[in-house]
């Protein structure tokens, strides 16, 4: 995803994939990389586990003006969203 690309379209396709994975009971993962205002890449991993747990990993290590750290969130939910848990 480049600067100015539509997050809405990419996220809709990825969420559809995650919902199908959740319904199948097999789990799945959607990876989205988008640039900060300065152009540094932020990669987010959205994961649905076979038990329906939703995890989010955010890689901020390439963000020169951000935390420079990984973030992790875990939700026990049957309806994931792209907002943090």
């Amino acid at each position: 995803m480049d600067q100015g690309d539509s997050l809405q379209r990419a996220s809709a396709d990825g969420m559809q994939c995650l919902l199908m994975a959740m319904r199948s009971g097999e789990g799945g993962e959607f990876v989205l990389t988008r640039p900060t205002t300065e152009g540094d890449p932020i990669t987010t991993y959205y994961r649905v586990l076979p038990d329906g747990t939703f995890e989010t990993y955010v890689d901020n290590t390439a963000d020169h003006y951000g935390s420079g750290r990984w973030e992790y969130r875990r939700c026990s939910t049957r309806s994931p969203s792209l907002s943090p848990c």
Side-chain angles (χ1 to χ4, degrees):
M1 173 171 272
D2 293 322
Q3 188 79 15
D5 281 354
S6 173
L7 177 61
Q8 186 174 7
R9 179 177 174 176
S11 63
D13 293 345
M15 286 307 298
Q16 188 70 346
C17 177
L18 283 182
L19 290 172
M20 288 173 30
M22 181 184 291
R23 289 181 188 130
S24 75
E26 295 181 12
E29 186 173 280
F30 167 51
V31 180
L32 178 67
T33 300
R34 57 191 172 113
T36 63
T37 302
E38 298 83 19
D40 296 332
I42 303 294
T43 301
T44 305
Y45 301 82
Y46 301 97
R47 183 178 296 161
V48 175
L49 303 178
D51 68 359
T53 301
F54 186 66
E55 297 179 319
T56 305
Y57 297 83
V58 182
D59 180 0
N60 293 299
T61 57
D63 184 359
H64 293 82
Y65 298 99
S67 69
R69 297 181 179 169
W70 280 84
E71 296 175 25
Y72 172 76
R73 293 182 183 90
R74 180 181 176 124
C75 298
S76 295
T77 180
R78 300 300 287 180
S79 58
S81 67
L82 289 179
S83 59
C85 301

